[in-house]
Amino acid sequence: MQKTKRIISVCLVLCMVCLMCVGCSSDDSNASGASVAKVYYLNFKPEQAQDWEKLASVYTDETGVEVTVVTAASDTYESTLKSEIAKTDAPTLFQVNGPVGLQTWKDYCYDLSKTSLYTKLKSDDFALKGENDEVLAIAYVIETYGIIYNKKLLEDYINTEGAVIKSANEINNFDTLKAVAEDIQSKKEELGIEGAFTSAGMDSSSDWRFKTHLANLPVYYEYLDEKVEKSEAIKGTYLENYKNIWDLYINNSTVEPSMLSSKTGDDASSEFALGEAVFYQNGTWAYNDITGYEVADEDIGILPIYIGVENEEQQGLCTGSENYWCINKNASKEDIEATIKFLDWVITSEEGKKALSQDMGFVTPFSTFTDEYVADNPLLKAANEYIAQGKKPVAWTFTTMPSEQWKDGVGSALLEYAQGTKEWSAVEDAFIGGWATEYKAANSE
Amino acid sequence: MNRSVRKYFSIFLLPTFLAFILGFVIPFITGLYLSFCKFTTVRDAKFIGLSNYIKMFSDNTFLHSLWYTSLFTVFAVVTINVIAFSIALLLTRNIKGTNIFRTVFFMPNLIGGIVLGYIWQLIFNGILLYFDKTLTFSASYGFFGLLILLNWQQIGYMMIIYIAGISNIPPDVIEAAKIDGATNFQILKKVTIPMVMPSVTISVFLTLTNSFKLFDQNLALTAGEPSGKSEMLALNIYNTFYGRAGFEGVGQAKAVIFFIIVALVALLQLYFTRRKEVQA
């Protein structure tokens, strides 16, 4: 009897201790949550991780508001976001990559239409809206990609005997690009290079350049023909062109087509940076990776990706955004307010504008960024020149691709075609058939 | 003494029990529930019944992965255990430097799976370079690559378990067998192997579940290429969960099925190898 009582009392004491611990800890979090508003930004771009952290600490020093910046590792943003947003201390500010990404997260997005972020936006094109016209996501960086080329190496080539062009400006359609690339490839010993194009690596650090960015062109032209902005099913009108440019990339490269699967994004950028290849498909964000080595800044140029459609002499670079800010609707009111204030500070204050335009090298769609806030990036300057010449920019339609699974399917098929284990029809199946099934899968209830 | 333990055992068990509830039972039940839901994050789940389990078979990647994984498991269990046991036999013979060899064989186990995967990818691709191929050329390259990798990693660990088993065999049993005129092979077959059956049980169990659940090595070595043909079950579940919007529940359903398969196979194996265990 005595012992039973003792057991019971010990149990009770244990229970009380547990309850006290639980009670105290939850009190603590409530107290801090109510009094101090916090900003938690889950950043998508690893290239700018440190710049964001620096900017956040400047803001904290100035206002005392705590800003946490967490950057998801390359290729893991969606998975990180999924687990982070389920936590009590969820991100107050996160990103979606476009209309398809927004579809997943629209129930978490706060209406931004009354924020300065939206009122200072240059055009509605950079906002993603919901069914009732609420502003759910706003693009904060505009990027451009094309075929980056080494002006000096191209000049060397033009000076060789029997060169097919006399000036770089003559490359304004696919046929010329093909002729030049193939001729460079055949003269690679003479030019002292490894190949015309950098390796079209299909490692996950590089394959998005082809399964997403290059695949944008056939999709873009098909949308243009059909006069639509998204589609449930793609016809594949321009897949032949896609094949031609892919053939050109893999057959005139620094490596054999069968070796592509292990080549990484770093491999390609270093090949270009060390002057081993003339052409490199990538965008304005790649500038930091290729500058400061063998290629001088004034030798970096960029060409539109020509795939052999009619009138492509007038085609410009591919310009758009896949970085949209969203504010988490489920965060506390104070945290939402704090996040809006932080973003306002980022796009209006001197420090914020400097950090975004100079340190991070962004071109932003906000009216507060006047001419003196232009990043020092030759690729951006070249991109602006194309627009000044009246070339028509290619929109980023890849944000309407049905799912990651679709991109992976196309990527795998491209790789198998390159290494010779499958025919081109596999790419067509993945592109056209995959689009229909993935669209259905992603949009069914 | 015994009586007081009996009275207080519930208190001693309490911390572990709590940890077990928090760390296993609750997540398990949540996971089970989520497999019947449509959700983006675990907090906004909406009950939709069995449709995740039906959708699971809408593409044949799951069945392919199941088949591929099973085949891999069979190969891995046989090769790892046979080689580990042979090495253990060698290293219990009082050869000079036994301890160094044991350490060397055990070392690979200390390297994490994802690092191992990338190291072996470099090695394999380096060799295949001479044939102008890479690991992703066909699914069988990935298969055997993964097999070599897993062998390299797990043999050392299983070897230690076998060594412990072999050193525990009482010398008098072996001596008696020798006096009775048994050959070395007979001793191995009739004495050593039956006596180390407990080690066999645990080693087979570990290799079986490990190769079935293989994830990071698979991800690092081939990531399922070419075209998902070298994708094992765990990676397939991961890709389903994160690959498409709205397929989180389907991934969860696959994970439940995966759990049932692994549990069934492991229990069957335990039952059959346990029956072969003998007492000295």
Side-chain angles (χ1 to χ4, degrees):
Chain A
M1 197 56 210
Q2 199 65 28
K3 273 181 182 165
T4 335
K5 268 187 188 162
R6 218 180 288 159
I7 294 175
I8 293 174
S9 59
V10 168
C11 278
L12 283 174
V13 168
L14 268 179
C15 281
M16 275 167 65
V17 171
C18 283
L19 279 176
M20 269 163 65
C21 292
V22 172
C24 289
S25 59
S26 62
D27 273 358
D28 279 355
S29 66
N30 274 345
S32 63
S35 59
V36 193
K38 296 186 302 292
V39 179
Y40 172 9
Y41 176 30
L42 190 63
N43 173 33
F44 174 79
K45 286 177 147 295
E47 303 95 321
Q48 278 82 19
Q50 284 172 345
D51 299 316
W52 274 114
E53 279 158 28
K54 224 169 72 192
L55 189 62
S57 70
V58 172
Y59 185 70
T60 310
D61 287 347
E62 230 173 76
T63 61
V65 177
E66 188 192 332
V67 179
T68 317
V69 178
V70 173
T71 304
S74 171
D75 224 19
T76 61
Y77 191 79
E78 282 291 302
S79 49
T80 313
L81 180 57
K82 258 179 204 169
S83 56
E84 282 297 302
I85 216 156
K87 292 182 182 167
T88 324
D89 277 329
T92 58
L93 179 64
F94 63 95
Q95 291 189 212
V96 296
N97 64 357
V100 172
L102 183 68
Q103 203 55 32
T104 315
W105 296 108
K106 61 174 192 275
D107 295 336
Y108 290 82
C109 294
Y110 181 80
D111 183 5
L112 299 168
S113 56
K114 299 214 169 52
T115 63
S116 66
L117 209 55
Y118 182 62
T119 50
K120 296 196 166 77
L121 201 62
K122 278 183 197 160
S123 144
D124 252 9
D125 292 347
F126 302 115
L128 295 178
K129 296 192 172 179
E131 283 149 14
N132 307 319
D133 230 30
E134 67 272 34
V135 180
L136 299 179
I138 288 176
Y140 68 90
V141 49
I142 301 177
E143 294 171 307
T144 298
Y145 67 87
I147 300 174
I148 299 172
Y149 71 102
N150 184 328
K151 287 182 183 169
K152 189 169 155 289
L153 286 179
L154 196 63
E155 201 56 42
D156 286 353
Y157 160 72
I158 289 168
N159 293 331
T160 61
E161 223 180 282
V164 294
I165 51 165
K166 292 194 179 61
S167 133
N169 296 337
E170 286 175 46
I171 307 179
N172 60 5
N173 57 50
F174 178 73
D175 291 335
T176 321
L177 178 68
K178 184 174 157 78
V180 170
E182 283 173 351
D183 204 25
I184 290 179
Q185 185 74 12
S186 69
K187 291 176 179 165
K188 62 180 183 181
E189 271 90 30
E190 189 182 336
L191 292 164
I193 57 174
E194 303 283 323
F197 284 95
T198 57
S199 57
M202 291 309 281
D203 177 83
S204 67
S205 59
S206 163
D207 61 352
W208 46 268
R209 293 193 289 141
F210 312 104
K211 69 183 185 188
T212 311
H213 285 183
L214 188 61
N216 181 55
L217 289 133
V219 176
Y220 167 78
Y221 278 108
E222 182 168 331
Y223 281 3
L224 217 57
D225 283 358
E226 310 286 326
K227 298 188 175 60
V228 291
E229 279 175 357
K230 58 178 186 176
S231 174
E232 307 175 14
I234 205 101
K235 287 186 193 148
T237 331
Y238 293 96
L239 277 187
E240 198 55 35
N241 306 68
Y242 190 45
K243 176 176 188 289
N244 290 340
I245 186 102
W246 180 240
D247 280 341
L248 189 69
Y249 281 0
I250 61 176
N251 293 327
N252 300 286
S253 150
T254 51
V255 295
E256 288 297 310
S258 57
M259 302 304 300
L260 289 178
S261 78
S262 59
K263 289 288 167 188
T264 63
D266 287 344
D267 285 332
S269 69
S270 68
E271 283 159 19
F272 184 83
L274 298 176
E276 292 172 357
V278 185
F279 301 109
Y280 169 44
Q281 186 211 306
N282 214 337
T284 45
W285 58 88
Y287 170 64
N288 288 335
D289 293 335
I290 55 176
T291 183
Y293 299 97
E294 300 284 313
V295 188
D297 273 12
E298 63 267 23
D299 286 334
I300 298 176
I302 186 165
L303 289 168
I305 303 175
Y306 297 114
I307 60 166
V309 296
E310 262 177 69
N311 294 327
E312 65 182 348
E313 286 78 6
Q314 288 311 309
Q315 180 194 311
L317 301 166
C318 303
T319 298
S321 183
E322 62 163 349
N323 288 277
Y324 291 85
W325 274 331
C326 304
I327 291 180
N328 184 0
K329 193 164 75 176
N330 301 334
S332 74
K333 224 171 166 190
E334 292 80 13
D335 288 354
I336 291 178
E337 286 300 315
T339 308
I340 293 173
K341 268 192 198 135
F342 171 66
L343 288 182
D344 179 60
W345 178 83
V346 166
I347 62 160
T348 54
S349 74
E350 193 61 26
E351 293 93 335
K353 286 194 279 189
K354 260 226 163 71
L356 248 61
S357 62
Q358 304 300 327
D359 302 348
M360 306 187 203
F362 288 164
V363 176
T364 60
F366 303 110
S367 56
T368 50
F369 286 79
T370 41
D371 282 346
E372 63 263 35
Y373 299 102
V374 175
D376 197 21
N377 176 341
L379 295 171
L380 288 175
K381 284 178 190 145
N384 287 338
E385 276 164 31
Y386 277 103
I387 292 173
Q389 287 167 17
K391 301 280 169 78
K392 192 165 183 280
V394 174
W396 284 20
T397 51
F398 62 78
T399 52
T400 65
M401 287 171 182
S403 70
E404 286 302 310
Q405 193 96 12
W406 180 83
K407 295 177 192 169
D408 291 345
V410 172
S412 296
L414 282 177
L415 171 63
E416 289 220 59
Y417 169 72
Q419 65 187 15
T421 44
K422 270 190 183 159
E423 296 296 309
W424 178 254
S425 58
V427 181
E428 289 173 352
D429 286 345
F431 208 101
I432 304 168
W435 189 293
T437 48
E438 285 302 318
Y439 188 90
K440 236 174 82 193
N443 289 284
S444 67
E445 271 312 305
Chain B
M1 178 61 202
N2 233 344
R3 277 183 55 194
S4 59
V5 167
R6 212 171 295 152
K7 275 193 172 148
Y8 284 108
F9 86 99
S10 55
I11 291 183
F12 291 126
L13 273 184
L14 194 68
T16 330
F17 186 64
L18 270 180
F20 182 70
I21 298 268
L22 283 176
F24 181 79
V25 176
I26 294 178
F28 184 77
I29 292 174
T30 318
L32 202 61
Y33 169 69
L34 283 174
S35 73
F36 296 103
C37 294
K38 188 180 171 67
F39 62 98
T40 309
T41 67
V42 291
R43 294 205 162 195
D44 57 2
K46 209 168 63 206
F47 191 81
I48 52 160
L50 278 173
S51 78
N52 283 336
Y53 286 87
I54 298 162
K55 258 193 195 167
M56 198 165 88
F57 297 101
S58 63
D59 52 9
N60 48 17
T61 59
F62 185 69
L63 286 179
H64 172 81
S65 295
L66 181 62
W67 169 235
Y68 190 82
T69 311
S70 313
L71 195 68
F72 178 79
T73 307
V74 171
F75 272 70
V77 168
V78 172
T79 51
I80 292 175
N81 284 293
V82 168
I83 299 174
F85 186 73
S86 321
I87 296 177
L89 271 183
L90 277 178
L91 293 185
T92 42
R93 301 231 153 154
N94 295 326
I95 312 171
K96 229 181 179 180
T98 298
N99 277 334
I100 295 177
F101 280 118
R102 287 181 187 178
T103 318
V104 166
F105 279 114
F106 187 74
M107 290 284 262
N109 211 276
L110 303 175
I111 311 174
I114 203 104
V115 181
L116 260 187
Y118 281 114
I119 295 173
W120 277 96
Q121 190 198 44
L122 286 178
I123 298 175
F124 287 134
N125 279 337
I127 297 168
L128 290 169
L129 186 69
Y130 291 103
F131 307 97
D132 268 344
K133 299 248 166 66
T134 60
L135 258 185
T136 60
F137 185 74
S138 93
S140 57
Y141 285 24
F143 185 89
F144 289 107
L146 213 51
L147 194 63
I148 295 172
L149 190 165
L150 200 67
N151 267 289
W152 190 76
Q153 188 187 18
Q154 306 246 297
I155 281 173
Y157 194 77
M158 301 309 147
M159 175 199 75
I160 295 289
I161 296 176
Y162 283 125
I163 285 177
I166 294 172
S167 346
N168 266 338
I169 301 175
D172 39 335
V173 186
I174 307 231
E175 215 182 311
K178 272 188 187 152
I179 291 169
D180 287 345
T183 61
N184 276 343
F185 182 71
Q186 277 171 327
I187 294 176
L188 175 71
K189 202 181 151 206
K190 304 269 178 177
V191 182
T192 314
I193 292 183
M195 293 295 280
V196 295
M197 268 328 269
S199 307
V200 174
T201 307
I202 189 73
S203 294
V204 171
F205 177 77
L206 283 176
T207 41
L208 190 83
T209 49
N210 278 345
S211 26
F212 227 95
K213 297 188 302 182
L214 200 66
F215 175 75
D216 28 7
Q217 290 90 334
N218 189 205
L219 179 74
L221 199 68
T222 62
E225 291 296 337
S227 305
K229 273 184 280 182
S230 68
E231 189 180 62
M232 297 183 59
L233 269 182
L235 186 62
N236 180 265
I237 292 169
Y238 174 84
N239 283 340
T240 312
F241 196 95
Y242 291 117
R244 294 181 184 127
F247 268 62
E248 292 84 357
V250 182
Q252 196 64 42
K254 284 183 180 179
V256 170
I257 299 288
F258 180 56
F259 163 78
I260 294 173
I261 294 174
V262 176
L264 264 184
V265 172
L267 286 177
L268 275 179
Q269 176 262 322
L270 279 183
Y271 174 73
F272 282 114
T273 43
R274 274 258 170 84
R275 285 209 313 190
K276 294 230 161 73
E277 287 177 17
V278 289
Q279 294 292 320

